[in-house]
Amino acid sequence: MIKNYLKIAWRNMLNNKVYSALNIVGLAAGMAVALIIALWVFNQFSYDKFLPNNDQLYQVELNFTDQHEGEHTQQAVSLPIADVLRKEYPEVKYVAESDWMGWHGLLVGNKKLYMNGAGVGSDFLKMFQYPLIKGNSNTVLKDAYSIVLTESTAKALFGDADPINKTIRFDNQHDLKVTGVMKDVPKNSSLQFNFLIPFSYNEQTQDWMKNARTTYYNNSFQIFVQLQPNADYAKLAPKIKDIVYKRGPKMRPAKPVVLLHPLKFWHLYSDFKNGKEVGGFIEYVHLFSIIGILVLLIACINFMNLSTARSEKRAREVGVRKAIGSQRRDLIFQFLTESILITFMAFLLSILFVQLTLPSFNTLTGDFINIPYSSPVFWFIMITYVFATGLLAGSRPAFYLSSFNPVKVLKGSIQVGKAASLPRKILVVLQFTCSIALIISTVIVYQQIQYAKDRPTGYSADRLVSTDMSDDLSNHYDALKADLLQTGTIESVTKASSPLTGVYMHTGIEKWPGQGAGELGLNVGGVSVSDNYFKTVGMSLIKGHDFSSNWSSDTSNIIINEAAVKRMGLKEPINQVIKYDGINGPARIIGVVKDALMDSPFTPVEPTVFNHGRGGNFIIYRLSRGVHTHDAIEKITRIFDKYNPAYPFIYQFVDDEYNHKFNLEVLVGKLAGVFAGLAIFISCLGLFGLAAYVAEQRTKEIGVRKVLGASVAQVWLLLSKDFIVLVMISCLIASPIALYFLSNWLQKYNYRISIGPGVFILSAVTAIIITLVTISFQAIKAALTNPVKSLRSE
C-alpha cells in the first residue's frame, strides 16, 4: 500500500512540475534556514560543555548597588578573596587566581610571536581540564618560571621538535621553561588563550602586584573556584556574600556583594539583576530560534496553500476512491505520505543549501559550525525533523481533501476552490505578517546602529593608531617618540594606561566640594596619560589648561570630563581640590575636557578622571596628513623593531577598534536582514503559485471581460487587488507587533532612536512592491492571452 502511495505521489509531482518545484524549493529554503539556526543555537549552548565537572566551576564576581549609577556586576576582584575562599570554606574544592594578561611576546631564536595568554593559579588545570598532550596538570604550573603552550603555539615556535624543557624568552624579560603542551582550546570555550604561565610569576616580577594579596582596593584579577561534588551553591551564597564588606575598606561608593557565576552561564547570561543572571546573549539565541521557526512555518504555509488551491485537480480522485470503498483515514494517510515524500526531497535540497552557505555564515558570525554527518543523534533528529515538517505541512491538505463528499464531487456540484479560499487567505496574511515584521526589525536595527555610529565621539579617530606598550618600549619611550616624530610620518605621540576605546581602571572620588551630608563617593573611570595626550587624540579642553611636559610638577593635578563635573555639581571646577583614590593625597582640578566616548557608544559617558602618569600600557600616535598609510607603517615598523626586538610590530587603527563595539548589533542586523529576505522569498514563491492558480481558474472570466472591452491594466488590477488587500492587512497586523518587541529591545540602550511612522510606511510600501512584482507576471500573462483561445476550450 505504501509503495502504491509513493507511486501516486511521484506521478502527481511529475504531472504538476511547476507547483511541485515551488513546493520543494520553498520547503527546502525554509528547512535550510531552520537547520542553520538550529546548528548555530546548538553551538551557543555547547559552550564549555566539553569540560569535565563543568557544573561545579564558577567565577567570583562582585555586585554593587550604587546610589548614583544603580546596580552593576563586575568580574574584576581582589586577591584576598581567593585566600579567604581557600581557607575558610570547606565547600570549595579548588581556587585559582588569574590575571588575564592579554597579548605578550614569545621569542625563540628568530621566531617572534605575539600571543594571548594568562597567568593562572596552580590549581587552574585541575579545575579546567583542557587535554594535555605533554605534561602533568598537577605539576606544570608549580615552577614560577614555567609556561604551558597550546599545540599550535608550540608548533609555531619549535616546529616538530619536542618543546618540553626548552626555553622561551617571555616579553624579552625572563626565560621560561616549557613544562606542558595542551590541545588547542576549542572555539566553543569561553576562555581563549595560547599559553598559560603560573600566577606566581606575575607576583614575583610585577611591582604593582607586590601588595595585591593584602588589599581589597585592587580589583584587577579574576578568581575561579570549583565546588565540592556535594556542595550546594544556594546554601554557600549567603555565607560568602559579605567577604569583602566585612574585611575590606568601608569607604566605597557601594556595598560589595561577592557572588559566584556558574560556568554554564558565562556565555549566554552576562546581565545581572539583584545579583542573579537575568539575560545576555541568550536573548538573541531566543530571537533567532523564533525566526527559524517562523521561516519554517512560512514554508509550510506555502505547501498548504498550493495543495488546497489545486484541490479541484484531486477532487474526482478522492470521490472515486471513496466510492470504491476507501476510508477517510486511508486518504489522510495517502496525502500525508505524499507530503513526507516532498518534504524528504526538500530536506535533501536543504542539506545542499546549508553546505553551500555555511562558509559565509561562519564568516559572518565568527563561529565554526559544520554539519555533523557522522553523528547518529544528528540523523535521528533530522529524520524526526523531516517527519514533523511533513506532517505539519501536509496536515491541512490531507484533512481537507479527504473530507470531500464523493456524491457531490462526482456530480460536479462542489466548488472546492472557493471552500478553501478563506483559510488560504488567512494563511497568506500570516505569512506576510511574519515577513513584514522581519523587514521592520531589520530597518530598526540598522537605524539604531547608524544612530550610535553618528554620535559624536569627542575625539578624532582619523589616522589615529595604537600599539601595546612593552617593557622595552616603556624603557626607551622618549627615544622612540623622538625617532617617530623625525620620520615625518607622525604628527604627535603620547601614551596612556587605557586605549582610547575603553577605560581599564575604575576607582573612586571620596570627597569633593559641595558633597551632600551622607552622600557616598563616586565610582569613576581613571586614565593615566602623558603630556600631549589631549592634543594627540583630538579631545577638546573647555576649561583650564593641559598637563605640562614636566611630570613632577603635575603629580597632584588632574583633568576631569564634563560628566564628572555634572555628577559632582561643580559650578567652578578649576582649582577645586578633591579626594581621588587614583592619587596619593589631595588632587587639584586644572582642566575640564569635553566628554568622549571611551566605552559603549550606546550608554551615557561615564565620569572620568585623567592624571599625569609616567607609565602607560598603550602608545597612541597620529599619522601625518598626506602620507600614504603603507609608507608610514613601513617606516615606523623599523623604529618599533629597533626598540622592541622581542615583539612583532602590531598596531590597531582606533576607528577600527571603535567599529568593533558595534559587532553584535551589526551581526543581529545582518542576520535579521538575511532571514527577512529569505522569508519574503519563500512567501513570494507561494504567492507566485497562487497567482498562477487564480489566473488559471479565471481564464474564461478574463476572456469574456476582454471580449467586452477590458484593458490589460483592468485585468491586471482584477487579479492583483485581492493579494494587495491581504498584504495591506498583514502590514496592519505586523506593525504593532513589531513596535512592541522592538521597543522592548531598544530599552536596553540608553542612547537609542525613537521609532517613527516612517519605518512602517517604508516596510509596507516595500512589501506591496514585492507583491506586485511577484504576481504581475502571471496577471499580465493572463491579460495578454487571446480570448478566442480561452473561450473555445469547450
Side-chain angles (χ1 to χ4, degrees), residues 483-497:
D483 284 0
L484 288 173
L485 293 173
Q486 284 178 4
T487 63
T489 61
I490 302 296
E491 283 184 3
S492 183
V493 183
T494 189
K495 58 182 177 177
S497 61

Side-chain angles (χ1 to χ4, degrees), residues 636-648:
I636 65 179
T637 297
R638 290 193 289 269
I639 295 173
F640 273 94
D641 286 344
K642 172 184 174 182
Y643 293 107
N644 202 33
Y647 287 81

Side-chain angles (χ1 to χ4, degrees), residues 688-727:
F688 182 84
L690 287 177
Y693 165 74
V694 170
E696 180 184 340
Q697 291 296 102
R698 303 180 74 171
T699 300
K700 292 181 178 58
E701 176 191 349
I702 293 169
V704 172
R705 288 179 179 273
K706 290 198 69 176
V707 168
L708 295 176
S711 65
V712 172
Q714 288 173 322
V715 174
W716 172 80
L717 182 61
L718 173 71
L719 296 176
S720 302
K721 64 180 181 181
D722 287 344
F723 293 110
I724 298 301
V725 169
L726 295 179
V727 173

Side-chain angles (χ1 to χ4, degrees), residues 200-241:
S200 56
Y201 168 83
N202 291 341
E203 292 184 291
Q204 293 182 26
T205 60
Q206 305 295 320
D207 290 337
W208 67 276
M209 289 181 62
K210 297 296 184 184
N211 299 317
R213 289 279 181 187
T214 59
T215 176
Y216 284 89
Y217 272 116
N218 191 352
N219 290 323
S220 302
F221 308 96
Q222 299 79 39
I223 297 174
F224 306 106
V225 302
Q226 179 178 335
L227 300 185
Q228 298 285 359
N230 58 349
D232 183 356
Y233 173 57
K235 295 179 180 178
L236 178 63
K239 299 179 184 178
I240 66 172
K241 68 176 185 177

Side-chain angles (χ1 to χ4, degrees), residues 376-538:
V377 175
F378 170 76
W379 289 112
F380 174 77
I381 293 173
M382 288 302 98
I383 292 171
T384 306
Y385 178 44
V386 169
F387 274 89
T389 305
L391 293 175
L392 175 64
S395 56
R396 185 170 182 274
F399 285 96
Y400 174 69
L401 291 171
S402 64
S403 67
F404 293 160
N405 186 311
V407 176
K408 291 183 178 180
V409 168
L410 295 176
K411 288 175 63 177
S413 60
I414 188 169
Q415 298 294 322
V416 292
K418 291 182 179 179
S421 62
L422 180 60
R424 191 160 57 243
K425 289 178 180 179
I426 293 173
L427 291 175
V428 169
V429 169
L430 178 59
Q431 266 188 320
F432 275 88
T433 297
C434 297
S435 301
I436 293 165
L438 287 174
I439 292 175
I440 295 171
S441 302
T442 303
V443 175
I444 293 296
V445 171
Y446 174 79
Q447 288 181 341
Q448 173 64 10
I449 294 170
Q450 290 304 120
Y451 183 67
K453 283 187 173 180
D454 293 340
R455 185 181 180 185
T457 60
Y459 56 83
S460 173
D462 180 40
R463 298 170 288 112
L464 201 61
V465 189
S466 174
T467 296
D468 290 3
M469 183 79 79
S470 69
D471 288 338
D472 286 343
L473 290 177
S474 181
N475 294 335
H476 301 94
Y477 174 74
D478 291 334
L480 170 74
K481 178 179 178 180
D483 284 0
L484 288 173
L485 293 173
Q486 284 178 4
T487 63
T489 61
I490 302 296
E491 283 184 3
S492 183
V493 183
T494 189
K495 58 182 177 177
S497 61
S498 294
L500 200 55
T501 53
V503 177
Y504 283 6
M505 185 184 82
H506 286 78
T507 184
I509 296 177
E510 295 183 11
K511 295 181 180 178
W512 65 90
Q515 184 178 10
E519 187 173 5
L520 297 176
L522 302 177
N523 186 41
V524 298
V527 184
S528 178
V529 302
S530 69
D531 60 289
N532 219 30
Y533 175 80
F534 299 106
K535 175 186 174 183
T536 301
V537 302

